[in-house]
């Protein structure tokens, strides 16, 4: 009932502040503004709150089709928000670095592959290539290049040829490596924390932004809204792709967004329907010699599901041919666990981030030579249009907490502009 109301309730045609996007950045901005005494309207193209944070409740488990880990959990603001809301934070170590029963990736090979990744990361941090291109930090003839490309896909959503070494190093240096979880779902937490004081309009995409005298003009299918200031939290692929019509004066922000494209990341989930092939809280990489390979997190929290995570070329293959995604994942799992698992698994759910018009990808990375585009994108325009979102965060990009903190920053800027 509330969701229906949110989509059809009358719009305040002249709010003090409009927020475009109800993802983690939009929620962060709305929370900061909740007690300001100003009128705040939030516009979201999707029919739900959360953006790339989305918990889907299935009959067997709550599954996160978007962000699922509280990265740098010890300093992640969502950790505090969850605990204040009475949501349990699971701090147990992840199984991500293990390979269940050494299937397809024995310990000696894992050690060699991880050592190769460690050498690459050390060069990126301490002796970055003059080109700023991450692939140029790989040793010539590296036998584990395919593994490094697979990890680059998981971490950045793209191949090393398109990753800025400086950008990657900034994130890596700031990360605390404490990755925690919420059994009830990260997306569920983000959605639940939108303040009730914000006038929320879901399924209401913004068609155009223009500046009209002392106010900003936003056009929607339901009419025109003229806020005093606007906080824009849309993804870089949407901003750079011309999905929302904007004046030419905003071209520098669109150009900065184009230098911070979203990589490709997708998730699939299998339901485990029977048998005894899979252990709780276990993990495998499908084929470490294939850059398209998936990472499989098995029975998280003991639930009868397998999370299939794909990045880079593997995720692009899913976006290009969704019907082949589950069969390919089943083939990789069968090669490790045996063909009998066909009787134990059935497709449960899948993301479509690349093909979602209001998002168009996973999370941002800077192209080589363009790490500074994050600061350029975060600049205000005319003290009336402010930009937030994970891509504007210099060190915590690609995360829900980076997005949240950017929303707080943009809200502070908006308050200052309004004399608050």
């Amino acid at each position: 009932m509330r969701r229906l109301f949110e989509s059809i309730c009358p719009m305040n045609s002249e709010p003090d502040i409009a927020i475009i996007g109800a993802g983690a950045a939009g929620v962060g901005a709305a929370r900061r503004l909740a007690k300001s005494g100003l009128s705040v309207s939030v516009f979201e193209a999707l029919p739900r709150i959360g953006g790339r944070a989305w918990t889907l409740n299935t009959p067997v488990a709550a599954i996160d089709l978007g962000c699922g880990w509280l990265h740098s959990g010890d300093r992640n603001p969502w950790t505090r928000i969850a605990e204040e809301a009475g949501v349990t934070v699971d701090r147990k170590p992840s199984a991500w670095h293990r390979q269940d029963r050494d299937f397809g990736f024995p310990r000696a090979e894992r050690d060699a592959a991880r050592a190769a990744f460690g050498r690459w990361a050390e060069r990126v941090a301490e002796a970055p290539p003059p080109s700023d291109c991450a692939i140029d930090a790989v040793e010539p003839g590296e036998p584990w290049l395919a593994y490094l490309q697979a990890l680059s896909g998981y971490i950045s959503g793209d191949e090393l040829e398109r990753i800025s070494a400086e950008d990657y190093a900034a994130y890596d240096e700031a990360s605390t490596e404490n990755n925690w979880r919420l059994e009830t779902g990260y997306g569920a937490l983000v959605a639940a924390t939108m303040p009730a004081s914000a006038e929320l309009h879901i399924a209401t995409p913004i068609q155009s932004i223009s500046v009209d005298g002392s106010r900003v003009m936003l056009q929607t299918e339901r009419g025109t809204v003229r806020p005093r200031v606007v906080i824009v939290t849309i993804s870089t692929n949407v901003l750079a792709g011309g999905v929302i019509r904007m004046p030419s004066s905003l071209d520098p922000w669109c150009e900065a967004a184009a230098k911070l494209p979203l990589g490709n990341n997708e998730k699939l989930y299998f339901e485990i329907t029977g048998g005894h092939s899979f252990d709780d809280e276990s993990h495998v990489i499908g084929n470490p010699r294939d850059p398209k390979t998936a990472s499989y997190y098995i029975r998280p929290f003991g639930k009868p599901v397998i999370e299939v995570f794909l990045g880079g070329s593997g995720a692009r293959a899913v976006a290009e041919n969704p019907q082949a995604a589950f069969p390919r994942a089943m083939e990789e799992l069968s090669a490790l666990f045996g063909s009998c698992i066909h009787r134990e698994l059935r497709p449960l759910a899948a993301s479509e981030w690349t093909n979602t018009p209001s998002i168009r990808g996973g999370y941002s990375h800077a192209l080589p030579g363009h790490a500074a585009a994050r600061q350029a994108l975060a600049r205000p325009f005319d003290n009336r249009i402010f930009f937030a979102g994970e891509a504007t965060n210099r060190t915590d990009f690609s995360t829900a907490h980076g997005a949240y903190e950017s929303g707080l920053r943009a809200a502070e800027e908006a308050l200052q502009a309004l004399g608050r």
Side-chain angles (χ1 to χ4, degrees), residues 363-381:
Y363 30 76
S364 71
H365 62 84
L367 296 175
H370 295 297
R374 298 199 184 279
Q375 293 95 307
L377 181 58
R379 292 174 300 136
F381 168 76

Side-chain angles (χ1 to χ4, degrees), residues 79 107-108 111 149 185 289 292 345 397:
T79 300
R107 179 175 294 277
D111 290 345
Q149 293 285 31
R289 294 171 178 79
K292 293 184 178 181
L345 300 176
F397 51 86

Side-chain angles (χ1 to χ4, degrees), residues 82-131:
E83 293 177 333
E84 288 176 352
V87 177
T88 301
V89 176
D90 181 85
R91 289 174 166 81
K92 292 191 296 292
S94 163
W96 215 91
H97 294 291
R98 301 198 295 268
Q99 184 81 358
D100 186 31
R101 288 168 273 183
D102 288 345
F103 284 155
F105 200 15
R107 179 175 294 277
E109 293 185 357
R110 292 202 307 278
D111 290 345
R114 289 168 185 167
F117 180 79
R119 292 192 299 272
W120 170 82
E122 183 177 359
R123 282 191 294 274
V124 164
E126 299 181 4
S131 65

Side-chain angles (χ1 to χ4, degrees), residues 265-300:
N265 295 92
E266 304 289 352
K267 286 183 178 180
L268 317 173
Y269 281 86
F270 285 103
E271 178 185 356
I272 302 172
T273 58
H276 304 283
S277 298
F278 304 105
D279 296 334
D280 290 356
E281 290 289 341
S282 56
H283 170 269
V284 293
I285 283 183
N287 179 359
R289 294 171 178 79
D290 181 357
K292 293 184 178 181
T293 194
S295 164
Y296 300 86
Y297 207 100
I298 301 167
R299 290 188 180 274

Side-chain angles (χ1 to χ4, degrees), residues 83-249:
E83 293 177 333
E84 288 176 352
V87 177
T88 301
V89 176
D90 181 85
R91 289 174 166 81
K92 292 191 296 292
S94 163
W96 215 91
H97 294 291
R98 301 198 295 268
Q99 184 81 358
D100 186 31
R101 288 168 273 183
D102 288 345
F103 284 155
F105 200 15
R107 179 175 294 277
E109 293 185 357
R110 292 202 307 278
D111 290 345
R114 289 168 185 167
F117 180 79
R119 292 192 299 272
W120 170 82
E122 183 177 359
R123 282 191 294 274
V124 164
E126 299 181 4
S131 65
D132 191 41
C133 187
I135 190 68
D136 292 336
V138 177
E139 293 177 347
E142 173 56 65
W144 288 105
L145 177 59
Y147 176 78
L148 299 185
Q149 293 285 31
L151 292 190
S152 181
Y154 304 148
I155 296 167
S156 301
D158 213 335
E159 282 72 37
L160 294 167
E161 288 84 351
R162 285 171 49 83
I163 303 298
S164 160
E166 179 185 350
D167 195 55
Y168 176 89
Y171 177 93
D172 194 48
E173 183 179 0
S175 173
T176 70
E177 300 296 334
N178 289 313
N179 300 313
W180 300 336
R181 295 178 296 172
L182 306 171
E183 185 171 1
T184 52
Y186 206 159
L189 176 67
V190 173
T193 50
M194 175 67 77
S197 60
E199 182 184 280
L200 177 63
H201 302 280
I202 59 175
T204 307
I206 299 298
Q207 298 171 324
S208 67
I209 302 174
S210 58
V211 178
D212 177 27
S214 62
R215 287 183 176 263
V216 182
M217 188 160 60
L218 306 178
Q219 188 65 44
T220 78
E221 290 182 354
R222 297 172 54 204
T224 302
V225 181
R226 299 177 69 248
R228 296 167 67 188
V229 301
V230 174
I231 297 174
V232 178
T233 75
I234 59 178
S235 79
T236 54
N237 280 9
V238 171
L239 184 57
V243 176
I244 299 175
R245 297 189 303 276
M246 298 184 184
S248 59
S249 52

